[in-house]
Amino acid sequence: NADTALYKAKAAGRNRILFFNYEMKEAFEKQHMMEQGLREAIKHNHFNLVYQPQFNLKTGRTESLEALLRWRHPEWGMISPAEFIPVAEESGYIKEIGDWVLETAIREIKSIHQEYVHISAVAINVSALQLREAYFVHRLKTLLKKYQVNPGLIEIEITESIFIEGGEEVLETLKEIRGMGISIALDDFGTGYSSLNYLRILPINRVKIDRSFVQKMENDTRVQAIIKSVIDLSHNLGFNIVAEGVETQKQLLLLKSMNADVIQGFYGSKPLNWTQLHEFLKEPQTL
Ligand code: C2E
Ligand code: MG
Ligand code: MG
Ligand code: MG
């Protein structure tokens, strides 16, 4: 009961008062189960990547893809990365999982680009913990060499949250990555800690406007003004702009009129598995 739980929490040396209620117990057990599940998934390779096409607004064509991680548990079925990535980050498993993503995306873009030369970039999401690993840049170089991949084919996606601690070191790592000729995109821009200072110091060449803005833009002139300003600001800084989560033609037309460079979203295409991707690329749809 609550009293014993409170006693235990205090006895455990916490200086906060903790009430363990049923929901917390459930959440705790769920987290624990998910951690065990991730450990199994790493061992038996229950992961795969899907690829979401990005469309160039000038040509209407797909020139790049974002790699998105998928986990299918043999009993629980598909689990959303929004759910398991945070657990993988807390448990540290993201280092191994992220490394698998890196290698798989590099190997697969090689084969995609060989068959479809107009696909000239794959964007890979990278977590803070991965970037802080001392060997990250070295690992990146090793993989590019192993699969004979031109660094220009790779884009690394980061979010501002990587700067919450240890910003200085991460900045050096990012500069090294850019120096190799790899593109860097700032993901989910506009959420979280968006600060103009990040646009000043980060060695990025792309900004991705978060889908929460895009999805509110149709009937909200204030949101439209914010998006337009972010696009102009990014262009003035020499960055190009990807709008995420585009689901309607109206959003697309608005973004086009505002001079966005690239769109990504269900309106263009959902994320595609390997078979679907090949079907899509054989007869590429234009916007
Ligand atoms: P993200 O990097 O911002 O990826 C875009 C997310 O938006 C994807 O969700 C994609 O499926 C979804 N999306 C794309 N277009 C639309 C649309 O038109 N409408 C809606 N409602 N959603 C759309 P997903 O695949 O579930 O991934 C969620 C997040 O998980 C990603 O957000 C990213 O932060 C993280 N993630 C995914 N794969 C990896 C990975 O390999 N490594 C790391 N560290 N994080 C990953
Ligand atoms: Mg992303
Ligand atoms: Mg995003
Ligand atoms: Mg995101």
Side-chain angles (χ1 to χ4, degrees):
N1 65 27
D3 280 346
T4 355
L6 180 60
Y7 171 77
K8 278 187 186 156
K10 280 183 170 168
R14 306 277 178 111
N15 49 14
R16 295 176 289 154
I17 296 179
L18 281 180
F19 282 96
F20 288 115
N21 56 35
Y22 188 70
E23 286 94 70
M24 282 169 76
K25 183 168 173 285
E26 274 211 316
F28 184 79
E29 278 170 3
K30 192 177 167 201
Q31 163 117 6
H32 185 71
M33 271 177 68
M34 191 145 358
E35 275 183 26
Q36 272 183 316
L38 282 172
R39 209 177 309 145
E40 290 292 300
I42 293 170
K43 209 160 98 189
H44 303 293
N45 189 18
H46 289 157
F47 297 111
N48 70 287
L49 294 181
V50 292
Y51 292 93
Q52 187 172 31
Q54 300 178 328
F55 295 79
N56 181 321
L57 280 178
K58 291 233 164 59
T59 62
R61 305 214 339 141
T62 296
E63 293 159 9
S64 49
L65 309 164
E66 178 175 6
L68 294 162
L69 182 59
R70 293 291 176 265
W71 172 25
R72 186 188 294 280
H73 187 279
E75 283 148 45
W76 311 335
M78 287 294 271
I79 300 151
S80 157
E83 231 180 309
F84 73 79
I85 294 282
V87 179
E89 282 173 342
E90 274 170 51
S91 59
Y93 291 143
I94 192 66
K95 291 179 204 164
E96 273 165 276
I97 298 170
D99 191 68
W100 180 88
V101 170
L102 204 61
E103 173 151 17
T104 306
I106 290 176
R107 191 182 66 234
E108 294 187 340
I109 191 60
K110 174 74 182 184
S111 112
I112 294 166
H113 178 64
Q114 272 177 335
E115 203 167 334
Y116 309 99
V117 282
H118 60 285
I119 302 300
S120 53
V122 66
I124 305 169
N125 292 282
V126 166
S127 286
L129 270 178
Q130 267 180 284
L131 273 180
R132 292 221 190 84
E133 289 277 52
Y135 58 75
F136 184 79
V137 173
H138 181 253
R139 179 73 178 141
L140 207 47
K141 286 180 181 161
T142 306
L143 289 172
L144 293 178
K145 206 166 162 195
K146 178 172 176 190
Y147 296 103
Q148 295 289 299
V149 167
N150 181 328
L153 278 180
I154 308 297
E155 180 163 282
I156 296 291
E157 289 196 7
I158 58 167
T159 59
E160 298 138 306
S161 64
I162 62 172
F163 287 94
I164 292 172
E165 340 156 352
E168 284 295 306
E169 275 164 55
V170 174
L171 194 58
E172 284 315 306
T173 305
L174 291 175
K175 283 180 182 162
E176 250 186 284
I177 294 171
R178 272 291 272 151
M180 291 166 63
I182 290 173
S183 162
I184 300 178
L186 187 55
D187 202 357
D188 304 340
F189 189 77
T191 63
Y193 301 84
S194 306
S195 148
L196 294 178
N197 205 37
Y198 291 131
L199 295 182
R200 182 177 73 80
I201 60 173
L202 288 178
I204 53 174
N205 50 309
R206 257 191 176 193
V207 170
K208 298 187 78 175
I209 301 180
D210 191 68
R211 73 161 183 263
S212 57
F213 285 93
V214 173
Q215 291 180 348
K216 286 187 205 103
M217 76 185 296
E218 275 178 43
N219 305 308
D220 192 330
T221 51
R222 206 185 268 209
V223 174
Q224 286 173 24
I226 292 171
I227 294 179
K228 174 79 175 104
S229 305
V230 170
I231 293 173
D232 290 344
L233 174 61
S234 297
H235 284 164
N236 288 337
L237 290 162
F239 310 149
N240 71 49
I241 278 279
V242 182
E244 295 191 296
V246 177
E247 291 184 355
T248 69
Q249 190 182 31
K250 194 167 174 204
Q251 290 162 357
L252 169 82
L253 293 174
L254 279 167
L255 288 160
K256 209 169 175 172
S257 75
M258 293 176 182
N259 234 351
D261 302 292
V262 173
I263 65 129
Q264 182 182 344
F266 296 168
Y267 182 80
S269 169
K270 293 205 165 180
L272 306 171
N273 67 30
W274 191 249
T275 314
Q276 294 166 330
L277 179 66
H278 279 265
E279 266 155 33
F280 174 89
L281 292 176
K282 256 178 230 148
E283 277 169 58
Q285 281 110 312
T286 51
L287 282 175

